[in-house]
Amino acid sequence: TQRRGRVELANTGTLFLDEIGELPIELQSKLLRVLQTGEFERLGGTETLHTDVRLVAATNRNLIHSIERGEFRSDLYYRICSFPIHVPALRDRKGDIPLLAAHFVRKHAGILGKRVDAISAESLSELARYEWPGNVRELESTIERCLISLTESSVLELPDDLPWARKDDRVGLNFSIDIGTELATVERSYITNVLEHTGWKISGDGGAASILDIPTSTLRSKMNRLGIERPTTP
């Protein structure tokens, strides 16, 4: 039976190749040919076919080091590296943790039949302190684990058996974050609550930017984009 492969199916569209750094060296030349000429043959076939596909690739490896070790072709690297996007590790963008946590709650709560309206302040503090060696995948599995452990409460709490969770709450946040329908709603709520917690102090020690672990300029930019303003006192 004739079976079309991914490259053929993606014709006039986009093909996403995850973990391209693990592609065997003998297959890299075949992929390079497709990208350079748009030509390929089906497995076991003799007819040369053509495709017009846009490639998006991802890897957590340093491909330059892989090239030096002879594990990745340099010509393929320079062919796919036309518009590189570097995504920092989760530990280097902790301001994204509340948004990602809320997203994963919405994603998995319905599957597990749980109703969750908010994430507790203590849980947010713990999530922000952890270094996340497993990056976003580890965060997602942690949120799913929290949901599985959840009983009757509609507020998400970290389970007591997480080995890295501490209960000292050094940041001292005193609010929970609502699970809104849009990420912008969650982000605005989280930043506003942090600003209220700091008395609308933005920079310096104990300021909102320090708690959110983002540059002061980034926080001000987010406030402008989300329409967050300090309320005027009557």
Side-chain angles (χ1 to χ4, degrees):
T1 303
Q2 176 178 296
R3 300 182 64 180
R4 296 192 297 168
R6 295 292 187 267
V7 170
E8 188 174 355
L9 290 169
N11 185 32
T12 71
T14 301
L15 178 64
F16 175 61
L17 296 181
D18 198 8
E19 303 298 351
I20 194 171
E22 298 179 10
L23 187 69
I25 193 75
E26 61 270 14
L27 295 180
Q28 294 176 22
S29 59
K30 301 179 185 300
L31 176 60
L32 181 62
R33 178 196 175 196
V34 173
L35 296 178
Q36 289 182 334
T37 68
E39 297 180 348
F40 67 97
E41 289 84 32
R42 292 194 188 104
L43 186 65
T46 58
E47 180 184 4
T48 298
L49 304 176
H50 296 269
T51 188
D52 178 14
V53 61
R54 175 174 51 219
L55 179 69
V56 177
T59 182
N60 61 1
R61 294 187 177 185
N62 186 319
L63 292 184
I64 295 297
H65 293 169
S66 297
I67 291 172
E68 294 172 349
R69 294 192 298 267
E71 299 171 352
F72 202 84
R73 294 177 60 110
S74 60
D75 48 3
L76 177 58
Y77 171 78
Y78 292 113
R79 186 66 182 82
I80 65 176
C81 198
S82 56
F83 193 83
I85 299 175
H86 174 67
V87 181
L90 188 57
R91 62 180 173 273
D92 297 326
R93 49 188 177 101
K94 290 190 174 181
D96 290 346
I97 289 177
L99 309 181
L100 290 167
H103 167 71
F104 292 137
V105 167
R106 288 196 302 271
K107 176 181 176 181
H108 292 288
I111 298 174
L112 296 171
K114 302 294 181 70
R115 178 178 177 179
V116 179
D117 299 320
I119 303 174
S120 72
E122 186 179 57
S123 295
L124 285 174
S125 298
E126 293 294 335
L127 293 174
R129 277 200 290 263
Y130 187 49
E131 290 299 309
W132 300 108
N135 283 306
V136 177
R137 290 189 180 100
E138 184 183 5
L139 174 60
E140 181 174 7
S141 65
T142 299
I143 294 299
E144 188 174 10
R145 178 177 178 177
C146 294
L147 289 169
I148 293 172
S149 303
L150 197 65
T151 54
E152 300 299 327
S153 175
S154 62
V155 178
L156 187 74
E157 300 278 1
L158 295 183
D160 295 333
D161 58 349
L162 282 176
W164 48 264
R166 300 189 304 274
K167 301 300 180 182
D168 55 353
D169 196 14
R170 291 177 299 177
V171 178
L173 302 181
N174 56 2
F175 60 86
S176 61
I177 183 170
D178 293 334
I179 306 300
T181 56
E182 298 180 355
L183 286 181
T185 303
V186 177
E187 186 175 22
R188 190 180 193 282
S189 173
Y190 182 57
I191 292 177
T192 300
N193 281 319
V194 172
L195 287 166
E196 291 174 348
H197 172 72
T198 63
W200 291 87
K201 179 182 178 181
I202 296 177
S203 58
D205 293 338
S210 175
I211 292 178
L212 293 169
D213 198 22
I214 58 176
T216 301
S217 58
T218 300
L219 175 56
R220 294 186 186 278
S221 175
K222 287 179 177 288
M223 292 173 63
N224 291 332
R225 175 172 56 83
L226 297 169
I228 300 174
E229 297 181 353
R230 181 171 186 171
T232 56
T233 56

